[in-house]
Amino acid sequence: MKKVFLTAAVALLATSLFAAKPIKVGIINNDPNESGYRTANDRDMKATFTKKNGYKAYFAYSLKNDEQIAAAKKFIQDEVDYLLISAAGTSGWNNVLKDAQDAGVRVILFDRTIDASPSLYEASIVSDMAQEGETAVTWLASQNLPKYDIIHLQGVMGSAAQIGRTGALDKKVKAEKNWNLVTQQTASWNAETAQQIVQAVIDSGKKFNVIYAENDDMAKGAVAALDKANISHGVGKDVIIMGFDCNKWALEELLAKRWNYDGQCNPFQASYIDQIIKSGKAPAQKTVIMTEKGFDASKITKADVNKYGI
């Protein structure tokens, strides 16, 4: 009888120890200093994938695809249970995802999509970047300008955000005779580079009345160049300012009517991923699209700033 009780106790202890074993996750993200959006996204991940919540988390950051893929290979070798990936670029992921699958490592995409077979990942918790672009361009068209002369500041080329936000504008420019791209250049999400691009256009003497910046930081840099040249911007002014991400400070620019539009990009994906992992099974709907909206300076409220600002 004692032997039976002892065996049961050992089994119970083993079960308890097994239950306490943390889930190992390798999180591959873009540089958290890239933008306010990325800072919020990284903070959300770190607040969710904690020891207290049952995880042992490893983090790797890069704005380069090859460096991210190298980090993924390292995490696979380290025998993580899950790879969570916000890809710098959409292509080149097939081989490493196949390696993960062969090693029994489950993959969940967040923030951005990639060009890979859905069979290679368990779920994709992402923004619809193409829809973000469509929403912004539809808003811009609703302003009914007689002519659209646009400075287009692009993000990191090849990223899902850049492809989606650029695609909608390119399509509209191609379709409308009164839509013109004065310049279309990448500022790689960077305010200083955006300021330099806009300053160069100002110095050239080319006319423009819209700045379509693919994130808030680039819009901020563009505005700095306008302010230096005493060019008015915002509601009822000479230049329409458009950004994306909905940093709180950017929405405050809308509230003050110094900017015109900001497109939301929701950075809070960690809770969705946590639920999938804790459920132990892939979701019925493999792709989960984050709910997002666009904000107009003529309609935004202080409550919107407090609720949606990141």
Side-chain angles (χ1 to χ4, degrees), residues 113 124-128 131 272 285 287-292:
T113 57
S124 179
I125 317 300
V126 294
S127 293
D128 188 338
Q131 185 57 56
Y272 292 83
Q285 186 176 356
T287 300
V288 177
I289 303 295
M290 305 297 290
T291 301
E292 296 171 335

Side-chain angles (χ1 to χ4, degrees), residues 220-242:
K220 183 178 182 179
V223 165
L226 298 183
D227 288 343
K228 185 177 179 181
N230 293 316
I231 297 172
S232 68
H233 51 83
V235 179
K237 304 299 183 180
D238 292 332
V239 181
I240 287 175
I241 304 297
M242 302 177 67

Side-chain angles (χ1 to χ4, degrees), residues 95-147:
N95 288 339
V96 73
L97 295 193
K98 287 176 181 175
D99 291 344
Q101 192 172 71
D102 292 342
V105 177
R106 297 180 178 183
V107 175
I108 297 176
L109 308 180
F110 68 95
D111 175 45
R112 297 174 173 182
T113 57
I114 59 174
D115 295 329
S117 169
S119 65
L120 295 176
Y121 54 86
E122 188 156 315
S124 179
I125 317 300
V126 294
S127 293
D128 188 338
M129 304 297 186
Q131 185 57 56
E132 289 179 6
E134 290 287 350
T135 301
V137 170
T138 298
W139 175 87
L140 182 56
S142 75
Q143 303 309 293
N144 296 314
L145 303 181
K147 189 176 182 185

Side-chain angles (χ1 to χ4, degrees), residues 45-172:
M45 290 289 166
K46 286 181 173 175
T48 300
F49 297 102
T50 62
K51 182 178 180 181
K52 184 178 180 180
N53 198 24
Y55 293 98
K56 184 173 180 60
Y58 306 87
F59 293 85
Y61 303 98
S62 179
L63 288 171
K64 297 180 179 179
N65 237 28
D66 56 346
E67 292 179 356
Q68 287 193 336
I69 289 170
K73 291 178 179 178
K74 176 68 165 55
F75 286 151
I76 293 168
Q77 291 172 357
D78 292 341
E79 300 182 336
V80 297
D81 300 303
Y82 283 85
L83 269 180
L84 312 182
I85 302 171
S86 174
T90 57
S91 61
W93 285 94
N94 275 290
N95 288 339
V96 73
L97 295 193
K98 287 176 181 175
D99 291 344
Q101 192 172 71
D102 292 342
V105 177
R106 297 180 178 183
V107 175
I108 297 176
L109 308 180
F110 68 95
D111 175 45
R112 297 174 173 182
T113 57
I114 59 174
D115 295 329
S117 169
S119 65
L120 295 176
Y121 54 86
E122 188 156 315
S124 179
I125 317 300
V126 294
S127 293
D128 188 338
M129 304 297 186
Q131 185 57 56
E132 289 179 6
E134 290 287 350
T135 301
V137 170
T138 298
W139 175 87
L140 182 56
S142 75
Q143 303 309 293
N144 296 314
L145 303 181
K147 189 176 182 185
Y148 291 81
D149 291 314
I150 305 164
I151 292 177
H152 181 193
L153 302 171
Q154 297 169 290
V156 172
M157 301 303 289
S159 66
Q162 178 273 314
I163 291 170
R165 295 168 190 172
T166 291
L169 183 60
D170 279 350
K171 181 180 177 182
K172 188 66 173 176

